[in-house]
Each structure stands twice: as C-alpha cells, then as structure tokens.
Amino acid sequence: MRVAFVGKGGSGKTTLSSLFARYATRRGPVVAIDADINQHLGLALGLTADADAAEHPPPLGAMLTEIKDYLRGDNPRIRDAASMVKTTPPGRGSRLIRLDDPFFPSCSVEGVSLMVTGPFEEDDLGVACYHSKLGAVELYLNHLVDGPGEYVVVDMTAGADSFASGLFTRFDLTFLVAEPTRQGVSVYRQYRDHAAGFDVEIAVVGNKVHSPEDVDFLREHVGDDLLTWFGHSPAIRGMEQGRPFTLDDLEPAGHLALATMLDRLDAQPKDWPKFGRQAAEFHIRNARAWADRATGQDLTAQIDPGFVYGPAVAAQ
C-alpha cells in the first residue's frame, strides 16, 4: 500500500505521517519519503538536527539523472535519460523495483527506511521550482512493485501542490490532515474538487481536536470522509519539542486513531489496472503540455501498450 499525507501547512501532517510510519512497522516493512519542501520528516522520526551527515540519506532530487538511467533499463522506447520525464511510465525492458532496492538511498530511523527529496539548494533559488525534485518520487512510485504487507508513506507538500503532476494518483489512499477550522476544511474541499473524476481515495484525519464541538465541525464539513482524529497529546507535544519519544509514550486515544488509519489502508483494494491507466493518461497530458516541446520528441511513444502493471510482470 502507498499512502500520501496532505493538508494545510501547519496542520500537523508531517507529525502524523511520522507517527503512522512508525506504527505501520508493526505489520510490515515501511519506506517513508519526505516530499515536503520543508524536509522535517526525519526530525519527526527522531533524527536530530545536528546529526552527522552520514546519518542522513542523500537527496533523491540531486540524483534525478542517475535515477532515470537506472529505471529506464533497456526499454527501447526511452532513448536516453534526457528524454525521460517525471511521468514516463515503465514498459517492457524498464527496471522495476522492490521496496528494498539498494539503488535508492535511505537511512533507518525507528525501524522506518527514510528517503528524502532534499531541500532547495543555493543554485535552485530563483530559477527552479520544487516540482523538479518531486519528479524523483513520481518515477520511483511509477516503477515500484510493492507487495502485500509493504508500505510506502509519503509526506507531501502542503496544500494542493501535488496536483502539478499526476503524483496525486500514485497512491492507494490519501490521508488529508484537517484542523477543525474554516482554513483546514477549505484545503479538504480544494483537494476533493481537484481529485474529482480521478477515483482518488481520500480519508480525512482530524488534528488538534480539543472538544466534541470540534468533531461536530469536521463532520459537518467533510461528512463521511472523516475517518478519525487526534486530540491534544502531551506525548506528541514532547516529541515535537525534541524530547525522547517512542510509540509506547503515546496515549491510548492516539493508538486507537493510528490503528483505525492502518486498518483503513489495509482494507483498500490494490488496483493495478487503474494505476496503469492513470500513468499513461498523465504522461500524455504532460507530453502535450510541455515535455514534447522540451525534448523535441513525441513522448507519447514511450507508452508501451503491451506492458501490464503489477507483481506478475515483475516476476517475469
């Protein structure tokens, strides 16, 4: 299962994605990807800000060319790394990857394999947008064949920024973290409206809920999409302040919310055919909008109509 955490900036999505990643390790291996421009997921998982550089994984955004070369394998439809864009789907000859593929750098934190897109570098300022780094995540998810009991948890950029590409369709489920405020639920409406028509599964997780009236507010505005919620937690506040923390420190209500989220994710059917259709659809969109012009090629020819997504083709 692949799950995205989205929400308004400051809603607590990074904190909740770190808690969920830790909790999911009780059922299977977990890769957590920090795809937020602020790059705080490692901190939330327990990496210290002054940790030795060797403890932090190299950023995926800085190795985009190498990632493209690795994933294209000997796919005859992809001429070279320069003609491979963030939406390029796999085909026969592409290198499909498993959750523990050693090519993708990670570090182990609290039993979670952490990968990062990386922050803005000095050379990026004023000349590049963060979507170029997110392309590494999209390519990784497009070529990943995850199996039963495996989890990928992605802390996304705040707001609706992931709609700049097809990245929002690369997940089995999206947890939208919403505070019980007008601003919090407005991001939910925006995300819901943008995702309409793409069969994107959304479950709302309330955060910073302090009263039954807060729950009523969320139910009024998001309806049946409200899955569970987190109230005030001294343990979580201590974790955010840098105090030592394990899941055993979390209050029972927090454990119940995490269990509800994981049960919901595990109940989500895996739909490989939809994944393949949407990969092709968004590659065509990007090719026509900018990528054909940028590469001087017809990139729709990269789509392999004979390629079938899922574990069967990976086994072959």
Side-chain angles (χ1 to χ4, degrees), residues 236-243:
I236 293 176
R237 177 54 58 89
M239 180 191 79
E240 293 175 328
Q241 293 174 342
R243 300 175 197 165

Side-chain angles (χ1 to χ4, degrees), residues 234-255:
I236 293 176
R237 177 54 58 89
M239 180 191 79
E240 293 175 328
Q241 293 174 342
R243 300 175 197 165
F245 174 86
T246 70
L247 280 179
D248 291 337
D249 300 317
L250 190 62
E251 298 82 3
H255 278 275

Side-chain angles (χ1 to χ4, degrees), residues 107-246:
C107 69
S108 180
V109 192
E110 295 292 326
V112 175
S113 296
L114 172 67
M115 299 195 299
V116 301
T117 53
F120 264 137
E121 303 294 344
E122 186 175 342
D123 292 343
D124 297 326
L125 299 177
V127 297
C129 71
Y130 201 67
H131 300 141
S132 59
K133 299 183 186 297
L134 292 179
V137 179
E138 191 162 355
L139 287 167
Y140 173 82
L141 294 176
N142 270 344
H143 291 76
L144 175 67
V145 181
D146 41 342
E150 297 178 337
Y151 302 96
V152 179
V153 180
V154 182
D155 181 26
M156 295 291 293
T157 52
D161 205 41
S162 60
F163 288 98
S165 73
L167 186 56
F168 72 99
T169 66
R170 304 295 82 197
F171 303 100
D172 300 293
L173 181 63
T174 295
F175 285 135
L176 191 146
V177 180
E179 298 171 83
T181 64
R182 288 181 296 175
Q183 298 93 327
V185 298
S186 70
V187 172
Y188 159 76
R189 293 194 195 98
Q190 185 183 34
Y191 208 98
R192 178 199 62 195
D193 294 345
H194 285 331
F198 295 105
D199 198 17
V200 173
E201 290 287 336
I202 300 174
V204 175
V205 178
N207 195 30
K208 305 178 186 179
V209 172
H210 297 299
S211 68
E213 289 76 19
D214 284 347
V215 178
D216 292 341
F217 179 88
L218 288 171
R219 283 203 175 109
E220 177 186 352
H221 290 277
V222 310
D224 292 340
D225 283 342
L226 181 62
L227 176 67
T228 188
W229 56 88
F230 289 79
H232 172 68
S233 166
I236 293 176
R237 177 54 58 89
M239 180 191 79
E240 293 175 328
Q241 293 174 342
R243 300 175 197 165
F245 174 86
T246 70

Side-chain angles (χ1 to χ4, degrees), residues 31-46:
V31 166
I33 304 177
D34 192 346
D36 188 358
I37 190 171
N38 293 317
Q39 295 287 283
H40 289 157
L41 184 58
L43 219 67
L45 282 169

